[in-house]
Structures are given as C-alpha cells and as structure tokens.
Amino acid sequence: MRIRFRWPKIPVADLRRVQQYFGRHLAAHRAALMGGGACLLGMALVEMARPWPLKLVFDYVLLPKQQGISSFLDSLFAGWSAGVVLAFASLGLLVIALLSGLFNYGQTMLLGEVGHKVIGAIRLQMFSHIQRLPQSYHDQRETGDLMMRITGDLSLV
C-alpha cells in the first residue's frame, strides 16, 4: 500500500484578509513578537539537545565503545572516567532543563503580553464602534449578546 502525501492547500485570500485586519494591531508589538519567536526557536533547539546527555551515559558509562571507532566525542571523552562522564551528562541535563524553562517562560510572557494587548485594542475599537451605532440598533439587540461579542467571542479570535 502506497501512501501519498499532499501539502494542504492554504487559503491565501483568507490569510491576507486576516493579516489586513490584525496586521495593524500586531505591528506595534513587532519587537515582542520577534522575541517570542526567538524563544520558540530556542525551545526547539534545546528540545533537540535533550537526548544528548543520555547518549553520553549509554556510550561512555553503561556500554563503553570498542576501541578503534573514532569520532569527535571519542576524542573529547577519551581520558575521562565513567564518574566524570556521568557528572558531565548530569550537568548537561541540568543546563538543558534550565534553558528550556527560560525559553518557555520568555515565550509565554512575551506572546501572552502581545495577545492581551491586541485583544484590548480590538475590544476598545469594537466598543467605540458599538457606541457610534444608532439607538434603533441597540433597541433590536439584547445587551447580553453585545457583551458576549465583546468579551467572549473576541477571546476566541
């Protein structure tokens, strides 16, 4: 059985419409968005390094390699005892966990702050628009419906 993969079609017109509407709200927060993106990239790189200390423990402590196989790590850890390699791997695991936490915190704080500011700006824009609507519009609509649009529906966006 052959499985064929097709890239999903991206509705470019819809993306442009979303960018036209939200782009002006996001432009003021370009630095925070770039910082959040850098933190996301840092998290991805740290997550790729997460198995590395376990590799050191298996290759140089639990199952030492046969002599004659030469690699960069073999030349680096050549004269080290199993205890020193284990301590180095433990330190590496600690550094990876620390970096992962820092990048996760930075990404959460930066992108969360931008999200709240953008939602606040859109809420103000919607509230001023609702206030400019004629009284007949408000007579036909229920207050709860308008409040739900401003508070609940906007958070879903």
Side-chain angles (χ1 to χ4, degrees):
M1 183 167 139
R2 188 173 176 188
I3 299 174
R4 292 183 184 210
F5 177 77
R6 290 186 182 158
W7 289 99
K9 292 183 180 180
I10 299 173
V12 178
D14 293 342
L15 290 176
R16 283 191 186 133
R17 202 169 74 224
V18 169
Q19 195 276 334
Q20 286 174 351
Y21 184 74
F22 292 112
R24 64 177 180 251
H25 295 292
L26 294 173
H29 309 288
R30 183 168 286 147
L33 288 171
M34 296 291 279
C39 286
L40 280 171
L41 180 63
M43 277 178 50
L45 293 175
V46 167
E47 288 301 315
M48 287 191 317
R50 192 172 290 274
W52 178 71
L54 189 60
K55 178 197 180 332
L56 291 179
V57 170
F58 272 102
D59 287 350
Y60 299 100
V61 177
L62 297 176
L63 305 168
K65 287 185 176 181
Q66 300 293 327
Q67 297 296 330
I69 301 172
S70 180
S71 70
F72 173 72
L73 288 178
D74 289 339
S75 63
L76 185 65
F77 297 113
W80 293 18
S81 68
V84 174
V85 172
L86 188 60
F88 185 75
S90 300
L91 180 66
L93 189 61
L94 183 67
V95 168
I96 287 171
L98 180 68
L99 286 175
S100 178
L102 287 174
F103 283 134
N104 189 17
Y105 177 77
Q107 174 260 331
T108 301
M109 292 303 291
L110 289 170
L111 296 182
E113 179 183 350
V114 169
H116 287 299
K117 286 182 179 180
V118 167
I119 286 175
I122 295 172
R123 276 191 182 135
L124 285 174
Q125 183 181 359
M126 284 178 65
F127 184 72
S128 64
H129 174 72
I130 288 174
Q131 282 186 326
R132 287 191 306 268
L133 291 173
Q135 184 63 34
S136 61
Y137 176 82
H138 294 288
D139 290 339
Q140 295 171 357
R141 301 286 190 262
E142 293 185 21
T143 305
D145 184 45
L146 293 175
M147 292 302 294
M148 187 61 188
R149 299 248 184 246
I150 291 175
T151 57
D153 291 351
L154 186 60
S155 296
L156 293 175
V157 171

